[in-house]
Amino acid sequence: MSKEWGPDDIFDVLASETARDILLLSNSTAMSAGQLARECDASKPTVYRRINKLQEYDLLEQRMVIDNGGNHYNTYRTNMDRICFDIRGDEFVVTIRFEEDLIDRFVSAWTKLGRSETGDN
C-alpha cells in the first residue's frame, strides 16, 4: 500500500460521491479520466483529484494504453473488490481485500496448502 491509513482516512475518501462512482464505473472495465468525467458528470480536474486520492490508498490502478494512432493515455481500474467495516469494542476496523492477479492467487493458495500440510496456521 502506498500510504498508511486508518478508518477515518477511508471514510474521508469514500465520502466523495465522485470517488465512489469512479470505483463502481472502473470495476468492470478500465476507463480513461475523460470517460470517467463524462460518466460521473464531473469536471476532469475533479475526477483527477479523486483519482489521485484513490491511488494514494491503492484503491485504483493506473495503466498506460497506446492506441492504434500511437497516442498514449492512462486508464484506471478498481484495485479492490471488498471493503468491510466492523465495529470491535469501541472502534471501527476497516478491512480491504485487494484484487489479486492469477500469479498472486497461485502463490497464496500454494502457501496456504503448505501450511495446512505442516499443521501451521
Side-chain angles (χ1 to χ4, degrees):
M1 183 168 287
S2 300
K3 186 171 184 172
E4 291 292 321
W5 56 267
D8 290 343
D9 299 312
I10 296 302
F11 291 140
D12 184 48
V13 170
L14 297 178
S16 163
E17 183 177 359
T18 303
R20 293 189 311 270
D21 287 345
I22 289 169
L23 288 173
L24 289 172
L25 290 165
S26 64
N27 186 48
S28 58
T29 185
M31 299 180 79
S32 69
Q35 291 171 311
L36 290 166
R38 283 189 298 280
E39 292 291 324
C40 293
D41 194 27
S43 69
K44 273 190 179 181
T46 296
V47 167
Y48 275 116
R49 278 194 302 275
R50 299 303 179 251
I51 285 171
N52 290 336
K53 187 58 90 172
L54 290 165
Q55 286 181 306
E56 281 182 43
Y57 295 97
D58 290 334
L59 301 177
L60 205 61
E61 180 179 86
Q62 175 180 308
R63 291 219 171 119
M64 184 182 294
V65 175
I66 301 173
D67 66 19
N68 292 336
N71 299 314
H72 65 280
Y73 59 94
N74 291 319
T75 60
Y76 304 91
R77 190 158 198 291
T78 303
N79 192 34
M80 54 88 192
D81 59 9
R82 178 175 292 174
I83 298 178
C84 295
F85 300 96
D86 296 312
I87 298 174
R88 294 188 190 151
D90 61 348
E91 66 181 6
F92 281 102
V93 177
V94 179
T95 305
I96 299 176
R97 187 170 77 184
F98 291 94
E99 288 187 350
E100 295 178 305
D101 63 20
L102 184 59
I103 293 171
D104 291 337
R105 280 186 261 164
F106 176 77
V107 169
S108 178
W110 188 261
T111 302
K112 288 177 187 174
L113 179 65
R115 276 190 250 148
S116 66
E117 288 181 357
T118 62
D120 296 338
N121 284 342

